[in-house]
Amino acid sequence: MKTVVHVVFHAHLDPIWLWPWTAGVDEALATCRSACERLDANPDAVFTQGEAWVYDVVERCDPALFARIREQVAAGRWDVTGGWWIQPDCNVPGERGFRQQIALGKSYFESRFGCFPEVAFNVDSFGHAATLPQFMSEAGQKYYVMMRPQEHEMKLPARVFRWRGYADGPEILVFRIRSTYVRRELREEHYRDCLADLPGGVNHTMCFAGLGDHGGGPTERLIQQVRAARNAYPDLEIRFSSPARFFAAIEAVRDRLPLVVGELQHHAIGCYTIHRPVKLGCRR
């Protein structure tokens, strides 16, 4: 049986990372405009974008572009993921902050698209607090995509696993991204890199690609590379996909996946997000 590699085209955007907020707005607009153009030109491609903030910026600054996005979403070509207002720090905020983050995003997506994503998406957060599975479950989310801590920072039983923050807490199905959440090129070694640590019985994985670490999305070159690789390998099936499609494909084996209990830590030890005095100060 072939292993299916779900290629996920997306754009990682930090709205205020070492630049003015206006630069983040410009990147959001340029990225979404480019993604629409790529989808218009390539009817088989799929794009994924989370963060309600991005959609809100587009809606307010370029209503025509927002209308194009809604058309692509309705056509099943643009996958709305994540669902929260923004990808947050997942260590410092308290309960109220997390609940508000999710509630704002949920309200926005339900009012604009009539749905709320079942897939939560925090690929650049520096660790993940034990309270998150409860907050996600309460909001109706069943799945989670993360990357940090990476393999050299925390050993996990598999790339795909069931996660509970506490032994008797609710359960979320998690995928940990291999190596990077953006790739400018896609070659055979990149697809095979994403096969590492798959649990037994799972013949699906995800490979994330997109131009740059702060916006851009897929390029024509990346799209052509995926198209050329579709049936290039006897043991792999390469397809345009999304996190929602990936999780739907493995849902049947959920109960056979390994279980992880507790926080997913640590990434970037010494960073303020995991500095205990800062966390205590915020809580006080």
Side-chain angles (χ1 to χ4, degrees), residues 162-208:
R162 296 174 293 133
W163 179 35
R164 297 177 189 171
Y166 308 97
D168 58 348
E171 189 175 286
I172 296 291
L173 194 59
V174 180
F175 179 89
R176 177 163 70 173
I177 296 173
R178 172 77 173 176
S179 301
T180 179
Y181 47 72
V182 288
R183 282 187 173 88
R184 294 170 178 259
E185 296 282 334
L186 285 172
R187 296 186 293 273
E188 180 178 359
E189 60 264 31
H190 299 135
Y191 300 129
R192 296 199 180 279
D193 184 50
C194 297
L195 305 180
D197 304 325
L198 287 179
V202 174
N203 63 328
H204 293 262
T205 188
M206 285 192 280
C207 179
F208 286 74

Side-chain angles (χ1 to χ4, degrees), residues 76-255:
R77 311 276 318 291
W78 183 301
D79 187 73
V80 178
T81 193
W84 301 11
W85 187 254
I86 204 69
Q87 289 188 43
D89 175 278
C90 284
N91 286 302
V92 169
E95 177 182 359
R96 182 179 180 185
F98 278 124
R99 291 189 186 281
Q100 185 75 345
Q101 166 84 241
I102 298 171
L104 286 171
K106 185 173 185 177
S107 175
Y108 180 85
F109 283 118
E110 287 181 341
S111 66
R112 300 315 194 272
F113 297 97
C115 64
F116 181 61
E118 290 187 326
V119 181
F121 191 87
N122 289 319
V123 301
D124 200 25
S125 299
F126 287 15
H128 307 267
T131 50
L132 292 182
Q134 177 181 341
F135 300 147
M136 288 185 278
S137 295
E138 289 175 354
Q141 296 189 302
K142 303 177 181 178
Y143 313 107
Y144 195 42
V145 181
M146 48 76 72
M147 187 177 78
R148 311 183 193 282
Q150 293 174 270
E151 289 82 359
H152 65 285
E153 296 169 315
M154 181 182 187
K155 182 175 178 57
L156 291 170
R159 182 149 314 283
V160 189
F161 57 93
R162 296 174 293 133
W163 179 35
R164 297 177 189 171
Y166 308 97
D168 58 348
E171 189 175 286
I172 296 291
L173 194 59
V174 180
F175 179 89
R176 177 163 70 173
I177 296 173
R178 172 77 173 176
S179 301
T180 179
Y181 47 72
V182 288
R183 282 187 173 88
R184 294 170 178 259
E185 296 282 334
L186 285 172
R187 296 186 293 273
E188 180 178 359
E189 60 264 31
H190 299 135
Y191 300 129
R192 296 199 180 279
D193 184 50
C194 297
L195 305 180
D197 304 325
L198 287 179
V202 174
N203 63 328
H204 293 262
T205 188
M206 285 192 280
C207 179
F208 286 74
L211 182 63
D213 190 27
H214 287 290
T219 62
E220 287 291 337
R221 179 181 176 85
L222 278 168
I223 292 171
Q224 296 303 326
Q225 287 176 339
V226 173
R227 196 173 285 140
R230 274 176 169 163
N231 298 301
Y233 315 110
D235 57 333
L236 301 179
E237 178 189 336
I238 314 299
R239 65 170 67 162
F240 296 114
S241 193
S242 69
R245 297 182 188 189
F246 165 78
F247 283 115
I250 67 167
E251 176 62 39
V253 299
R254 170 195 280 266
D255 293 341

